[in-house]
Structures are given as structure tokens and as C-alpha cells.
Amino acid sequence: MAYIQFLGAAGVVTGSKHLINTNSDSSEKGGFQVLIDCGLFQGQKEWRERNWQDTPVPAKEIDAVILTHAHLDHSGWIPRLVKEGFRGPIYATPPTIDLCSILLPDSGHLQEEDAEFHNKHKSSKHCPALPLYTFDEAQDSLQYFKAVEVEETKQLCTQISFRYVRAAHILGSCMVEVALKTKGSDKKLLFTGDLGRVRNHGIAPGKVVNSGPTQGETADLLIMESTYGNRRHPAEDPRPQLATIIKETVQRGGTVIVPAFAVERTQKFLFMLKELMEAGQIPKIPVFCDSPMAIKAVEIFLKYTDEYSEETRELIRKCGSPLEWPAFTFASTPEESKKINASFYPAIIISSSGMATGGRILHHLAQRMPDPKNTILFIGFQAPGTRGHAIKNGAKEIRMFGMEIPVRAKVMALEQFSDHADPPEMLEWLHTFKSKPGKTYLVHGEPDASSSLRGMIAGELGWKVEVAEWMQKVWLP
Ligand SMILES: [Zn+2]
């Protein structure tokens, strides 16, 4: 009998990994095994440690991976899967492949840096501490990627075919419709990956990718994300508030430090800054985009014009490429990054990682967090257990580079930048389904968020819905 097993993003927002096994009857490998997403666990140690566990089915016996999008919590375990012996195709849309080609090697680089740090400071119980995978191993895993266009049907074996439909979450992001032939009947499974905002620009201003998740779906089994299952996004435009935060920081002679994911979120934020500068609502101070991937991320972004929202298209038409905007500096090399550290005039620094778990943002935070003139501005989700989460929730000091660094800078957060649908948006999308799914499983949420959304879906739509548990198997008769 076929089954789905939730290997990650169950009871937590990271580590997305769902296994479809078409045949568990035989003790030998008989059926076809496919992973939907292959994400890294991030955040709390209890979950991160699971990055070191093998898959319940040996990696070399997994036949294929289908990726919903490039975020590391959906793609970041791929190099490890390949390291463990996986040799099958990894299907993804062309923008997702381009994005993974910068994100995965960067992730490998960060893993190596982490291991090196622990070895130098003897701060790991493992001796020597090893990286989960290296830059080279991540680079090597890219050879298995195979492009699949949106709405093209891809036959994987006699029992499974799949098709991508738009999720409107980030560039290249898609939901996966899986058609599965079982002995009993044909089944349609729908994996949402991460779901983007609805089509309404008024609700999600500054949205870069804005086609809206595909409507009118059907599914025997729906596997749906629930990141924002218990929180509504603020409905007001973030631009006036952002302008005030920047102006007040500049008046104090300080710098605004923005931890942001290098891809998508950073571009979205840059466009908003440019718009505010052009409108004269913020001063034209230097903007530093400090990421080894910064330039490549913008180049990839500019390549896929068909995914833009109208407002992005209009801004690029008016202002050209962000790489050529005066006052905007993109730092790729460590030397360029160090120059930013030497600048003491008011500026805006955008750097990753978005949850301050590693990367160049740590250097900027370590340098500028102790000074009350500065502002740390969060524009993205902060998973519990990350430094970002601790700073956002009022920690007085933060451990970085083996030292306790005091947090005296002003800490602010704007929640409107989210690329995830909130409950009213998710329900609006679910209302477009042509028929009730046989069963819905909620994944990719903290327990409170998932159970709150479960209640809303069951109450408002009367659907059968359950919160998925880690390692739970769902049998498909
Ligand atoms: Zn995502």
C-alpha cells in the first residue's frame, strides 16, 4: 500500500520533507519513492539535530525529489541527501534552480564556517566538529537538478506524475499536484509548499511576485502549510511606518540594520526604499546590500520578468536595475563588506541571514547593536531558537562569536512584508476549491499556529483536517 510520511516541517516550520512511497508491501525496495521538498531544520537545537539523522528510507533508494521553491527550509538538505547517496533527478522550476545554485553553496559555506568556529573554540561536543555538508558538496549536488516548467505534466514512473501550479510565494515557487495510481484507485495529492499572499495589492504592498496562488484546485489529499495559522498580517501600508523608522534613526545619527533573506525579501525591501527615496519620503542615505549572493540574486531576479507584480514592473521601467541605482552598494567580497563596517555615517545595511543564524549580518549586529543610536529592523519571520527571535523579543544581550553582545539599539519589526498567506487569505484560497478534499493535513507550522488554523478550516469549511506529526505515515489505500 502507498503512503506519505512527514519527515519534516511537522510540528515546526522548517525541514520540509514529505516522502511518498508507492509500495510498502515488499520488504525489498519495490515501489517508487519521491521526496516533496528536502529542507533543512533551522532554529531550535532539538530540531537542528535531526539534520544529522538519516532518512527512514536510505537516500540511495529515493528515486526523485520535487522541490516547491528555493528557500533553505525546503531545499537546504539536498546536498546532504546527495552526500548520503541519492543520485536521482531533483525537479524544480527554472527560477528555483537558479536560486538554489547560489543558496545551496552559500549554505555549505556557512556550515563549514560554523564547524571551523566550533573547532577553534572547542565549543562542540563533537571533536572535530564537522560541517553537515561543504561548499563543494553543495556545488556537486546541483548537477542533479532538472527543470520543469509550470503546468507541464511530468511522468516519473507508471504510478506517479506531477505538475507545478503557481504558489505566488517567492520567485519560481509552486505547489505540486501529484497524480498517484494505487491498486485501489487514482488519487490526487496537492502539496502547497509555502503559499503566497492573495492577489490584492492593497493587502500586500510591495509584493514582487504577485500572480496569486492558483485557484479552483481539487485534491483527495491536501498537504498545506500553516506558518501564519494563528496570526493575521497588519492591513495597513508599511511604507509610512518604515519612513518614520528610517528618518528617526538618521536624526539620531544612527544606522538601520535589516536582517533579511538575500533572495526575494531583500529585493522587495530595496524596491520599497527606492520608491520612498524617489517620493522624497526618506533621505537619500547610502544603502548597503551586504551578501555574497547580493548581485547574483538581483541578476536572477531581473531575468524572470514574467513573475513580477505590476508595481515592480513599473518601478524597474522607471528606475532601471537596482544594481545601477546611485547610493545603493552591493557588497560581494569580504573586503567590500569590511568597508561597510568602517562607515559611521547614517546608512541602511541589509544583510543575511534573515534570522541572524549566521552570515555577514552577525558582524553588523555585533558592531552596531550596542549603540542606542542604531535601529535593528526585522522584516521577516523569526523562528523560535534563532538569534533574530531573541533580539525581536527583547533579549538584553546576545551571544555571538563567543561573546555576550549587549542589545542597546532600538529594535523594530514590520510584519507586512511576509510572503506567506495569513488565515483570512488561506481561507479565501480554500474557498476557491472545486470540491472538498478527502482529508487535509497541516504542516509547516508551530503547534499553536497549525492547531488554530485546523480549527478555522474545520469550523468555516467543515473539512476533515488534521495537524501532521513528525514521522507520521498516512496510508493511501
Ligand atoms: Zn518559503
Side-chain angles (χ1 to χ4, degrees), residues 69 71 73-74 169 194 420:
H69 65 292
H71 278 153
D73 58 332
H74 293 256
H169 166 61
D194 288 349
H420 288 268

Side-chain angles (χ1 to χ4, degrees), residues 15 27 52 236 243 309 332 336-337 439 459:
S27 56
W52 294 88
E236 65 272 12
S309 65
S332 284
E336 288 165 333
S337 178
K439 185 85 183 263

Side-chain angles (χ1 to χ4, degrees), residues 134-164:
T134 63
F135 176 92
D136 288 342
E137 285 162 343
Q139 198 83 39
D140 176 60
S141 71
L142 299 174
Q143 63 177 300
Y144 300 101
F145 278 78
K146 300 255 178 304
V148 176
E149 297 291 340
V150 179
E151 295 190 0
E152 166 192 346
T153 299
K154 186 89 198 160
Q155 193 76 40
L156 298 187
C157 62
T158 48
Q159 290 160 296
I160 296 187
S161 65
F162 82 92
R163 199 173 81 110
Y164 281 130

Side-chain angles (χ1 to χ4, degrees), residues 39-40 67 69-76 96 100 103 169-170 194 261 263-265 419-420:
L40 202 60
L67 270 195
H69 65 292
H71 278 153
L72 286 179
D73 58 332
H74 293 256
S75 72
T96 298
C100 283
L103 288 172
H169 166 61
I170 62 162
D194 288 349
F261 188 64
V263 168
E264 180 87 12
R265 190 59 53 92
D419 292 312
H420 288 268

